[in-house]
């Protein structure tokens, strides 16, 4: 029995279910029929050569990009390529209420303090009382080791600190799942370590995470499943010990040889 | 001689010429910056030397007096207050309409067919001589009402203001990185919320600078007011009546036959420049902490 089937048999339903996802930029087909599931509490890692469609895939999941064919179901809400405008808006609101996203370049609001960055969405989107949102934001900042930087502007923080603020900002909305789009790619090794440590803690706490990364050590340590993307397709999937230690596909072997150096 | 040495010798003249070009450009840019600062200082200096002697408390506290009357030439209190009323009324219409137009062009323009024509109209409107706008105000708000009035003046100034505010707002919003919009959307915010709470505040400094430029421009307009608000020697804040303004007062004094009045016109110009200068400094000072450094 496959892992997905076992999960279903055990009564688990996937938080993310993607079926036959296609995305085109003009003539170029960026995603060519991606099918993938992520179970609640799992950490799924997506690896693969640049240009393979990894980031585009994540952006399609929370509606930052439209897709051309297929179906995305997140926490019971389905996104389709051709949806009536009001239905699509409602579906996207639902999806984004359950999905947080952490970007490669942090994308913090530069005109707000760290604390304001974190409370902005809870107060204005989730309508949490401001005092409650601020208390929770301070707790989250403590959790990512940045309690002392609450009143600073993002511009004066290091890259690693900014990324940890971005993680706290995503967590502030109590998401079911967080999508990480190469969260350490623009960081030096020390900052990468800081961010991966926070992510590992979240993984241990059972947060569902879908992570696009080149950090193989993190994938081996934290992931339950590793998916290899190449030219818009999932060329290989499986547990990290199989995909990273004993890859079946030539593309995966080649990528890992370069990734491990 | 090895190939790298040959390549080095060939590359040297190019490096020298690009260094000369770089230095020349740097000095040309610096010279232009000094020139423009020098022009501003020269203009202010000239106004101070001629009109400075006429600046006194009476200028700000008294009404103009006719020749032969006690206290001649009097002050320009009515003109200063009238300008404030006209500026406030024009801003109440011009700033929100201009900013909303700028938001439309920047944030919704890519998906709307009317964005390109609207942008073109803004550019044309910004280039229309202000006297034409004055005639429009005359036709729309002076003729139907039956007499010159402040509302017509404020309307004409608002029409001058709108394209300046709209285009500067659009440009400033376009400078806000798209990634910030995406981050907000990804957090579940609506587009309207993203614009009002994230994009616009991030561009506040630039948008306000555009508004200040527009206010400075209309504060120094004379032609549209000659056809609309006309001017008055009385102290009045009622926009339904002919309303005095600094620029029209300066125009009347400067074209008058007497030296005292002409000197007062220079003082009026100096006050106008200082008003704009102080307003700019005050806004920049108050916004210095809350503004995203763009670029």
């Amino acid at each position: 029995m496959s892992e997905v089937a076992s999960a279903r048999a055990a009564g688990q339903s996937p938080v993310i279910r993607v079926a036959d996802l296609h995305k085109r930029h003009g003539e170029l087909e960026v995603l060519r029929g991606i099918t993938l599931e992520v179970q609640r509490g799992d950490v799924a890692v997506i690896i693969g050569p640049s240009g393979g469609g990894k980031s585009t895939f994540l952006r399609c999941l929370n509606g930052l990009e439209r897709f051309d064919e297929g179906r995305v179901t997140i926490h019971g809400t389905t996104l389709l390529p051709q949806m009536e405008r009001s239905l699509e808006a409602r579906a996207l609101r639902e999806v984004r209420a359950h999905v947080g996203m952490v970007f490669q370049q942090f994308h913090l609001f530069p005109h707000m303090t760290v604390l304001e960055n974190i409370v902005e969405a809870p107060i204005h989107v989730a309508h949490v009382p401001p005092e409650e949102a601020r208390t929770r934001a301070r707790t989250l900042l403590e959790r990512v080791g940045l309690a002392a930087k609450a009143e600073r502007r993002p511009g004066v923080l290091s890259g690693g600190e900014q990324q940890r603020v971005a993680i706290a900002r995503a967590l502030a909305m109590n998401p079911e799942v967080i999508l990480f789009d190469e969260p350490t790619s623009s960081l030096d090794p020390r900052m990468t370590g800081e961010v991966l440590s926070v992510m590992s803690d979240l993984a241990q706490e059972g947060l569902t995470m879908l992570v696009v990364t080149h950090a193989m050590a993190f994938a081996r340590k934290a992931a339950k499943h590793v998916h290899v993307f190449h030219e818009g397709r999932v060329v290989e999937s499986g547990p990290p010990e199989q995909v990273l230690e004993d890859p079946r596909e030539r593309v995966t072997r080649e990528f890992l040889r370069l990734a491990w150096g | 001689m090895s190939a790298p040495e040959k390549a080095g010798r060939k590359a040297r003249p190019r490096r020298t010429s690009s260094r000369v070009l770089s230095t020349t450009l740097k000095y040309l840019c610096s010279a232009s910056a000094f020139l423009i600062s020098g022009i501003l200082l020269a203009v202010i200096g000239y106004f101070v030397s001629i009109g400075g002697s006429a600046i006194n408390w009476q200028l700000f506290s008294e009404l103009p007096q006719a020749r032969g009357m006690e206290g001649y030439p009097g002050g320009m209190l009515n003109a200063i207050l009238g300008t404030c009323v006209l500026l406030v009324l024009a801003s109440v219409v011009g700033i929100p309409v201009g900013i909303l137009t700028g938001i439309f062009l920047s944030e919704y323009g890519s998906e709307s067919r009317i964005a390109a024509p609207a942008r073109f109209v803004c550019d044309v409107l910004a280039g229309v001589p202000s006297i034409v706008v004055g005639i429009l105000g005359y036709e729309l708000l002076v003729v139907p009402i039956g007499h010159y009035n402040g509302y017509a003046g404020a309307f004409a100034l608002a029409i001058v203001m709108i394209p300046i505010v709209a285009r500067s707002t659009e440009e400033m919003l376009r400078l806000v990185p798209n990634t910030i919009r995406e981050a907000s959307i990804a957090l579940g915010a609506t587009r309207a919320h993203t614009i009002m709470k994230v994009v616009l505040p991030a561009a506040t400094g630039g948008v306000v600078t555009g508004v200040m430029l527009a206010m400075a421009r209309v504060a120094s307009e004379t032609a549209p007011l000659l056809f609309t608000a006309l001017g008055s020697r009385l102290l009045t804040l009622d926009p339904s009546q002919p309303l005095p303004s600094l620029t029209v007062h300066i125009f009347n004094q400067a074209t008058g036959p007497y030296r005292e009045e002409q000197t007062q016109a220079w003082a009026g110009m100096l006050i106008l420049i200082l008003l704009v200068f102080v307003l700019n400094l005050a806004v920049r000072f108050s916004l210095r902490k809350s503004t995203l450094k763009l670029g």
Side-chain angles (χ1 to χ4, degrees):
Chain A
M1 192 187 287
S2 74
E3 284 172 357
V4 170
S6 331
R8 278 190 192 137
Q12 274 187 285
S13 61
V15 181
I16 299 175
R17 182 180 288 169
V18 181
D20 197 28
L21 195 72
H22 289 258
K23 164 78 184 171
R24 295 179 197 91
H25 287 307
E27 293 293 301
L28 181 69
E29 191 165 14
V30 185
L31 299 176
R32 305 175 181 203
I34 302 284
T35 297
L36 187 151
E37 289 186 354
V38 180
Q39 304 294 326
R40 189 180 306 279
D42 279 3
V43 175
V45 166
I46 299 174
I47 61 171
S50 295
K54 307 183 293 294
S55 294
T56 306
F57 174 69
L58 282 200
R59 292 165 64 81
C60 286
L61 294 190
N62 72 347
L64 286 180
E65 295 213 22
R66 287 165 184 265
F67 48 91
D68 297 299
E69 287 173 49
R71 165 190 290 259
V72 171
T73 305
I74 295 182
H75 199 257
T77 305
T78 299
L79 298 176
L80 296 166
Q82 305 293 334
M83 290 178 86
E84 197 263 316
R85 217 180 167 89
S86 62
L87 279 179
E88 184 187 42
R90 195 186 308 161
L92 284 173
R93 260 202 313 276
E94 278 290 310
V95 165
R96 287 168 184 156
H98 294 105
V99 177
M101 185 146 184
V102 174
F103 299 88
Q104 182 180 346
Q105 294 293 339
F106 334 125
H107 299 183
L108 297 176
F109 306 134
H111 57 294
M112 296 181 189
T113 64
V114 163
L115 192 72
E116 287 166 347
N117 261 279
I118 298 173
V119 300
E120 176 68 16
I123 292 175
H124 296 291
V125 178
H127 305 295
V128 174
E131 207 40 56
E132 192 182 323
R134 274 190 279 274
T135 306
R136 176 157 165 70
R138 288 188 191 283
T139 309
L140 288 169
L141 281 174
E142 269 178 36
R143 191 166 160 189
V144 298
L146 292 171
K149 310 273 172 112
E151 302 305 326
R152 302 276 177 86
R153 296 278 173 125
V156 300
L157 303 183
S158 71
E161 288 171 336
Q162 289 190 52
Q163 195 59 294
R164 283 185 281 156
V165 173
I167 293 172
R169 182 174 70 176
L171 288 170
M173 291 295 281
N174 283 319
E176 289 282 329
V177 52
I178 298 189
L179 313 175
F180 291 84
D181 187 6
E182 302 197 28
T184 58
S185 292
S186 57
L187 304 177
D188 67 28
R190 188 178 62 79
M191 294 179 196
T192 297
E194 292 169 1
V195 172
L196 291 180
S197 161
V198 170
M199 289 170 63
S200 298
D201 290 346
L202 294 174
Q204 279 180 352
E205 289 165 23
L207 180 73
T208 312
M209 294 157 66
L210 183 54
V211 186
V212 170
T213 186
H214 295 302
M216 295 303 143
F218 172 80
R220 189 156 58 182
K221 182 181 159 197
K224 186 148 188 198
H225 293 92
V226 175
H227 306 278
V228 184
F229 274 45
H230 178 60
E231 293 180 347
R233 291 193 179 91
V234 181
V235 292
E236 187 163 359
S237 287
E241 50 276 17
Q242 182 260 301
V243 175
L244 301 179
E245 307 295 338
D246 184 23
R248 281 191 294 265
E249 299 295 323
R250 189 186 56 78
V251 172
T252 312
R253 281 196 296 275
E254 185 64 20
F255 173 73
L256 288 174
R257 189 178 62 77
L258 294 169
W260 289 116
Chain B
M1 191 184 286
S2 67
E5 281 173 336
K6 275 184 185 172
R9 290 220 169 158
K10 275 186 183 171
R12 201 165 297 137
R14 189 180 290 172
R15 274 214 300 272
T16 309
S17 66
S18 56
R19 201 179 306 134
V20 169
L21 184 68
S22 173
T23 309
T24 309
L25 188 63
K26 181 182 159 191
Y27 282 116
L28 276 175
C29 292
S30 306
S32 299
F34 278 116
L35 181 69
I36 201 149
S37 308
I39 289 172
L40 177 67
L41 288 175
V43 167
I44 292 175
Y46 188 60
F47 285 177
V48 168
S49 69
I50 299 177
S53 61
I55 289 192
N56 50 43
W57 180 240
Q58 187 190 20
L59 208 60
F60 299 94
S61 61
E62 292 184 9
L63 298 178
Q65 298 294 338
R67 190 173 173 83
M69 300 292 287
E70 192 184 341
Y72 170 82
M76 46 177 72
L77 173 67
N78 63 331
I80 293 170
L81 293 178
T83 293
C84 292
V85 170
L86 285 168
L87 262 184
V88 168
L89 288 177
S91 301
V92 163
V93 178
I95 294 174
V97 173
I99 289 179
L100 288 172
T101 307
I103 290 173
F104 169 77
L105 294 175
S106 163
E107 305 299 310
Y108 300 99
S110 60
E111 60 208 60
S112 169
R113 281 186 205 163
I114 64 164
R119 196 175 288 120
F120 177 71
V121 167
C122 270
D123 289 342
V124 171
L125 203 54
V128 166
S130 56
I131 197 161
V132 175
V133 178
I135 291 167
L136 179 74
Y138 177 84
E139 285 295 330
L140 292 179
L141 287 171
V142 174
V143 173
I145 290 174
H147 57 81
Y148 293 102
N149 62 85
Y151 288 123
F155 168 78
L157 295 184
I159 297 290
V160 174
M161 194 181 247
I162 287 168
I164 305 172
V165 175
R167 291 295 269 138
S168 62
T169 300
E170 182 194 2
E171 292 306 323
M172 289 304 118
L173 294 184
R174 279 174 181 272
L175 286 178
V176 175
N178 209 31
T179 54
I180 291 181
R181 292 176 181 83
E182 284 195 346
S184 176
I185 296 286
L187 283 166
T190 60
R191 202 160 171 194
H193 179 94
T194 298
I195 292 168
M196 298 312 290
K197 292 283 185 180
V198 176
V199 181
L200 200 53
T204 302
V207 171
V208 170
T209 303
V211 167
M212 296 309 308
L213 285 172
M215 288 180 77
R217 160 87 193 272
V218 300
S220 56
E221 281 293 349
T222 315
L225 296 178
L226 289 171
F227 286 91
T228 50
L230 184 65
S232 166
R233 294 183 75 85
L234 305 173
L235 178 64
T236 174
L237 301 178
D238 180 4
S240 66
Q241 298 301 316
L243 210 57
S245 61
L246 260 176
T247 48
V248 173
H249 184 76
I250 289 167
F251 173 74
N252 290 334
Q253 298 289 73
T255 51
Y258 304 112
R259 188 161 194 80
E260 294 90 337
E261 292 176 8
Q262 290 167 359
T263 307
Q264 197 184 63
W266 286 105
M269 288 183 229
L270 189 57
I271 290 170
L272 203 57
I273 287 181
L274 289 177
L275 263 179
V276 171
F277 194 65
V278 169
L279 205 60
N280 253 300
L281 281 183
V283 171
R284 279 172 190 274
F285 185 75
S286 65
L287 285 171
R288 76 191 193 286
K289 279 191 174 173
S290 63
T291 303
L292 165 64
K293 301 272 185 296
L294 296 168

